[in-house]
């Protein structure tokens, strides 16, 4: 089964409504579930209440910018792939994004096929890591059965 056949949940945090809707439609046509947050605050709420496999995050967002939101996400979740999708394309911008915890950085305008390839790379890695690390999950506790480590 290919990654695009799974019902994977992707959060798009993007304030440009037209781009967000187009991206959502393309992802859903490819087989993903996609949800849109129009600003960083709504994005944070959805992340806290939802279960997403990947986040596509703009930087220039109202209320909470993408860099700050990325840092907040990384305080509680080091594993979820975050792809910055932004018009800010200087080396300094990219370094700031990576330092905040982004896994990848795509500059607008972009080709959807390339973004899709990047998404699939991250989801494949997540799938491989989950297979490699069998774990038990109860409430906010997680125990790795191989290493016998417990995380809360």
């Amino acid at each position: 089964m290919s990654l695009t056949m799974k019902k994977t949940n992707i959060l798009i945090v993007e304030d440009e409504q037209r781009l967000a809707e187009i991206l959502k439609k393309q992802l859903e046509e490819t087989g993903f579930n996609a949800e849109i947050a129009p600003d960083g605050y709504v994005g944070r709420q959805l992340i806290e209440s939802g279960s997403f496999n990947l986040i596509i995050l703009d930087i220039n967002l109202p209320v909470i910018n993408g860099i700050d939101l990325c840092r907040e996400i990384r305080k509680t979740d080091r594993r979820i792939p975050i792809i910055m999708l932004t018009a800010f394309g200087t080396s300094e911008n990219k370094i700031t994004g990576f330092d905040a915890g982004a896994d990848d950085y795509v500059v607008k305008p972009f080709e959807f096929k390339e973004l899709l390839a990047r998404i699939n790379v991250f989801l494949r890695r997540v799938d491989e890591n989950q297979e490699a690390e069998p774990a038990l999950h109860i409430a906010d506790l997680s125990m790795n059965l191989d290493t016998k480590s417990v995380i809360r």
Side-chain angles (χ1 to χ4, degrees):
M1 177 184 279
S2 74
L3 290 172
T4 56
M5 296 303 289
K6 292 181 181 180
K7 284 299 182 180
T8 301
N9 298 316
I10 297 177
L11 177 62
I12 304 162
V13 187
E14 171 63 62
D15 64 327
E16 190 179 320
Q17 183 178 358
R18 184 170 182 268
L19 172 60
E21 291 293 337
I22 290 169
L23 191 52
K24 180 181 191 305
K25 182 180 179 198
Q26 289 176 317
L27 287 168
E28 288 175 345
E29 287 174 353
T30 310
F32 295 108
N33 289 326
E35 198 164 337
I36 298 171
D39 62 54
Y41 178 77
V42 173
R44 182 176 65 192
Q45 287 182 318
L46 289 172
I47 291 163
E48 289 172 356
S49 65
S51 177
F52 296 98
N53 305 95
L54 185 133
I55 299 169
I56 297 173
L57 181 61
D58 189 9
I59 290 178
N60 193 20
L61 295 167
V63 188
I64 300 172
N65 73 51
I67 296 295
D68 291 340
L69 181 56
C70 188
R71 286 186 181 120
E72 285 186 35
I73 295 165
R74 287 297 178 234
K75 287 179 184 175
T76 58
D77 191 337
R78 308 259 335 137
R79 291 182 168 210
I80 189 166
I82 300 173
I83 300 175
M84 292 280 188
L85 181 64
T86 181
F88 299 129
T90 67
S91 291
E92 185 176 303
N93 295 134
K94 293 175 185 177
I95 291 167
T96 300
F98 287 126
D99 285 347
D103 296 292
D104 202 354
Y105 197 103
V106 177
V107 179
K108 298 174 189 173
F110 63 96
E111 291 286 331
F112 179 73
K113 284 193 223 179
E114 180 182 347
L115 178 62
L116 182 61
R118 291 169 185 253
I119 289 169
N120 282 328
V121 165
F122 285 111
L123 294 177
R124 189 168 42 248
R125 287 182 185 160
V126 168
D127 284 346
E128 289 169 359
N129 286 340
Q130 287 174 348
E131 289 173 12
E133 298 177 12
L136 293 176
H137 303 283
I138 301 171
D140 64 343
L141 293 175
S142 181
M143 178 179 172
N144 183 310
L145 299 176
D146 290 336
T147 64
K148 308 294 188 254
S149 63
V150 179
I151 300 170
R152 179 174 188 185

